[in-house]
Amino acid sequence: MEHAKPSPQTESDDVAKLRHMASEFTEGFNTGDVDRIMRFYGNTYVDINLRSPVQSWQERRQYYAQVIRDGGFRIQVHPDEILVRGDLAFVRGTIDIAAAATPSDSKHRQLRYLEIASRQPDGSWQVLWGMDGPIQEYSPSP
């Protein structure tokens, strides 16, 4: 299936919308505003990291409510690369995780993530699939 190539302005607008989603997710998570997070999810979401990966909108909402309630940490989401291909976007980035009490604490973790988003008829974007995991060191053997 071939997609029409978007204009540079359209692609720039799409990238800005997807970066804005990451910013809103960060703010929603850090303030405990689950509804702010859930504006970017459709009827179903596939979280590759979960044993039962397919979640309804309500299940995803409950998941985030529990993670925020039990977490005790703050996040910062950094989309490092965004590829828009037709009505799909691939967002690869980094998530910085720090203890909520001391965000400057040296006990800080990083995850890498990949999300797939779909353009909606109104031009907005919703995430469909996602996965994240710890950054791993790799050195090839001599």
Side-chain angles (χ1 to χ4, degrees), residues 53-124:
V54 180
Q55 294 180 314
S56 68
W57 186 92
Q58 187 58 40
E59 289 169 327
R60 193 68 182 166
R61 188 183 191 295
Q62 290 171 339
Y63 169 83
Y64 279 130
Q66 182 175 335
V67 168
I68 290 169
R69 181 179 57 247
D70 297 345
F73 57 89
R74 297 177 56 82
I75 64 167
Q76 184 66 43
V77 180
H78 307 279
D80 298 323
E81 181 179 16
I82 299 174
L83 300 175
V84 177
R85 299 294 183 260
D87 288 338
L88 292 177
F90 302 84
V91 183
R92 177 189 59 79
T94 306
I95 303 170
D96 291 316
I97 303 172
T102 55
S104 62
D105 186 358
S106 61
K107 192 157 172 108
H108 142 276
R109 294 185 307 152
Q110 270 191 333
L111 302 175
R112 290 268 168 75
Y113 74 92
L114 173 66
E115 287 188 326
I116 300 172
S118 174
R119 184 192 329 267
Q120 302 304 295
D122 67 359
S124 66

Side-chain angles (χ1 to χ4, degrees), residues 8-55:
Q9 182 58 48
T10 301
E11 191 166 347
S12 176
D13 290 347
D14 288 333
V15 168
K17 287 176 186 178
L18 292 158
R19 287 190 182 284
H20 178 71
M21 282 174 58
S23 174
E24 285 293 297
F25 185 92
T26 296
E27 290 303 313
F29 190 96
N30 291 337
T31 61
D33 188 346
V34 178
D35 292 325
R36 189 171 182 176
I37 293 171
M38 293 306 299
R39 294 184 321 187
F40 305 108
Y41 290 83
N43 294 333
T44 59
Y45 180 76
V46 178
D47 185 334
I48 302 300
N49 299 93
L50 299 178
R51 187 168 305 283
S52 298
V54 180
Q55 294 180 314

